[in-house]
């Protein structure tokens, strides 16, 4: 991950002082970093997810988007990759896998902010780009599951090869679960699990047709077993206790055991607006009320952009979020450097912007 601060949690004791803190690394949060960068403002970025991309990565990484101006079509993943490439000159620091839990205005006009891993920030301006909230994987509700070691119970597909030689039970019946089973089955022999079982509570899976076709090919080839049932409990063996199998109920209420030493739970994700609704900001229908000139919340210096905001005519589209982030960055410059003239400069012609972008200014003809 470019610029990722893997040790953000470990550095918890030292608050990071910054001009701008962006909460949320979805497409709009990433574009916020770009627009701040053009204004010469460096940003720290926090996201609850372990990777940037928000809804584009979590909900539709491989689906096509057709309404990004100048890009006739790209997938959710491609859009995020391009945004990450575009913000690279501004070297934002990412603090991933942690939720912003606390935000408090300071007497000096800035903000004290803290994340769930204990990382603290003292930020002069804050940009809430939290979309529909922090994404949390839906947990497996089965006896004993919560006590399983993190090496045996996964809520995200671990890196290629991490499940090599293991008896993997994938739980779920939608795109993410089918994709995970196919990906594991596609792995070369040296990185492949010993067995792959896909378990869904219904006989019908709900995923893209081409994904289902790829799964069927693996089922026909004996690489993946598909079973219908619901996990009731997990059983463990050894000391320290490791996963040895699961107890499963089928549709008729019959129970049976399935062997497994790794559980990959792909039951979807649910967004939670969580702490943001407790920060005392003006809200309407669980969205932050902002003005449409500065995209500022009811708290000066605290901006909000993207799906998390509401104003007359708001549309939850990436393009609209990009516009909001652009105006919010101009407003932040006025607050952070009030003496600096607010010049509108073009990336085409401005030597100052070229310098910030790290590109050469073309010689005059
Ligand atoms: C299936 C689908 C298809 C879509 N197709 C299109 C399309 O074709 N065109 C289009 O314009 N739009 C489309 N959209 C909508 C588009 O994805 C959203 O408008 C866009 O993702 C909003 O971006 P965002 O950055 O505001 O929020 P999000 O993408 O939701 O990102 C918000 C991020 O903030 C993080 N976060 C939230 N709270 C916290 C916290 N307290 N601490 C730390 N992190 C936090 C979340 O983990 C998340 O990563 C689609 C949406 C869906 C579901």
């Amino acid at each position: 991950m470019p610029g990722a601060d893997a040790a953000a949690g470990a550095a918890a004791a030292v608050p990071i002082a910054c001009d701008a803190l962006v909460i949320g690394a979805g497409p709009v949060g990433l574009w916020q970093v770009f627009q701040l960068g053009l204004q010469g403002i460096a940003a720290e970025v926090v996201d609850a997810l372990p990777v940037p991309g928000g809804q584009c990565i979590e909900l539709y990484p491989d689906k096509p988007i057709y309404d990004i101006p100048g890009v006739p079509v790209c997938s959710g993943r491609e859009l995020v990759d391009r945004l990450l490439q575009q913000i690279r000159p501004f070297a934002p620091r990412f603090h991933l896998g942690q939720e912003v839990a606390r935000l408090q205005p300071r007497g000096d006009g800035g903000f004290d902010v803290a994340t769930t891993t204990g990382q603290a920030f003292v930020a002069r301006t804050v940009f809430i780009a939290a979309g529909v909230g922090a994404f949390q994987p839906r947990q497996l509700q089965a006896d004993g599951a919560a006590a399983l070691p993190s090496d045996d119970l996964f809520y995200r597909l671990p890196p290629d090869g991490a499940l090599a030689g293991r008896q993997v039970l994938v739980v779920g019946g939608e795109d993410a679960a089918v994709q995970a089973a196919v990906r594991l089955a596609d792995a070369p022999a040296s990185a492949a699990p010993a067995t792959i079982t896909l378990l869904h509570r219904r006989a019908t899976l709900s995923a893209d047709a081409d994904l289902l076709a790829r799964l069927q090919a693996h089922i026909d080839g004996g690489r993946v077993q598909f079973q219908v049932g619901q996990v009731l409990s997990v059983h463990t063996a050894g000391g320290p206790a490791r996963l040895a199998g699961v107890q499963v109920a089928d549709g008729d209420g019959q129970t049976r055991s399935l062997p497994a030493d790794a559980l990959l739970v792909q039951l979807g994700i649910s967004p939670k607006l969580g702490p943001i609704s407790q920060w005392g900001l003006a809200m309407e229908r669980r969205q932050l009320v902002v003005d449409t000139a500065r995209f500022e919340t009811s708290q000066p210096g605290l901006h909000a952009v993207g799906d998390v905001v509401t104003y007359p005519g708001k549309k939850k589209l990436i393009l609209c979020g990009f516009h909001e982030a652009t105006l919010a960055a101009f407003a932040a410059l006025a607050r952070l450097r009030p003496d600096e003239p607010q010049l509108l400069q073009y990336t085409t012609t401005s030597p100052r912007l070229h310098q910030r972008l790290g590109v050469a200014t073309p010689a005059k003809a």
Side-chain angles (χ1 to χ4, degrees):
M1 167 54 45
D5 176 5
V14 186
I16 296 173
C18 57
D19 280 343
L21 177 73
V22 179
I23 303 173
V28 179
L30 296 178
W31 189 248
Q32 185 67 72
V33 171
F34 182 79
Q35 286 296 335
L36 288 167
L38 286 185
Q39 301 293 353
I41 302 167
E44 305 279 333
V45 187
V46 181
D47 202 297
L49 291 172
V51 290
Q55 293 175 52
C56 297
I57 284 293
E58 279 304 297
L59 302 182
Y60 55 101
D62 301 312
K63 290 202 164 65
I65 309 174
Y66 296 100
D67 56 351
I68 304 297
V71 182
V73 59
C74 69
S75 67
R77 193 190 312 280
E78 281 164 350
L79 177 64
V80 172
D81 286 347
R82 287 175 192 208
L83 287 167
L84 287 171
Q85 186 189 344
Q86 206 162 4
I87 64 176
R88 206 172 288 151
F90 306 123
R93 261 205 297 179
F94 285 93
H95 307 268
L96 300 172
Q98 50 197 304
E99 195 179 343
V100 172
R102 195 172 61 81
L103 181 145
Q104 236 164 6
R106 293 162 57 88
D108 61 5
F111 300 89
D112 284 317
V113 179
T115 74
T116 42
T117 61
Q119 179 62 58
F121 299 86
V122 177
R124 295 180 68 200
T125 55
V126 173
F127 299 79
I128 303 176
V132 284
F135 287 118
Q136 316 279 354
R138 287 207 178 87
Q139 305 288 303
L140 179 69
Q141 304 297 331
D143 285 351
L148 284 176
S150 58
D151 274 359
D152 291 355
L153 175 63
F154 301 85
Y155 283 99
R156 301 188 146 265
L157 188 61
D160 288 347
L163 296 176
R166 299 188 62 179
Q167 293 177 292
V168 180
L169 183 68
V170 181
V171 181
E174 297 188 359
D175 272 328
V178 176
Q179 176 96 58
V182 167
R183 177 99 180 246
L184 291 170
D186 283 344
S190 59
T195 62
I196 305 161
T197 305
L198 177 62
L199 179 76
H200 183 41
R201 60 197 161 84
R202 282 201 292 267
T204 315
L205 297 166
S206 159
D208 277 353
D210 59 335
L211 207 50
L212 287 173
R214 288 170 66 197
L215 177 72
Q216 191 58 51
H218 282 306
I219 292 172
D220 294 344
R223 194 66 199 93
V224 176
Q225 280 73 48
F226 176 55
Q227 301 245 354
V228 179
Q230 206 158 349
V231 181
L232 294 177
S233 60
V234 306
H235 42 97
T236 55
R242 299 294 303 258
L243 177 67
V246 297
Q247 195 69 11
V248 167
D250 64 22
D252 304 328
Q254 305 287 323
T255 61
R256 65 189 190 282
S257 286
L258 283 180
D261 61 16
L263 261 179
L264 175 56
V265 178
Q266 299 281 276
L267 292 171
I269 47 168
S270 59
K272 291 200 173 49
L273 196 55
I276 293 170
S277 55
Q278 286 140 36
W279 293 345
L281 302 169
M283 299 191 79
E284 266 173 27
R285 295 189 184 166
R286 295 185 56 73
Q287 270 141 1
L288 294 167
V289 175
V290 288
D291 71 283
T292 53
R294 303 167 57 82
F295 290 91
E296 207 164 35
T297 64
S298 51
Q299 174 70 44
L302 181 51
H303 300 268
V305 290
D307 278 13
V308 77
V309 304
T310 184
Y311 54 85
K314 167 66 184 172
K315 299 283 177 283
K316 288 190 180 186
L317 287 171
I318 295 166
L319 166 70
C320 299
F322 286 174
H323 162 78
E324 295 154 14
T326 306
L327 295 199
F330 274 96
L333 178 68
R335 182 180 178 86
L336 292 172
R337 299 203 290 271
D339 297 335
E340 199 168 300
Q342 284 256 345
L343 298 175
L344 178 68
Q345 299 179 74
Y346 294 131
T347 56
T348 321
T349 49
S350 161
R352 180 190 278 195
L353 296 187
H354 291 160
Q355 192 190 18
R356 287 176 180 161
L357 287 163
V359 296
T361 298
K364 288 208 169 86

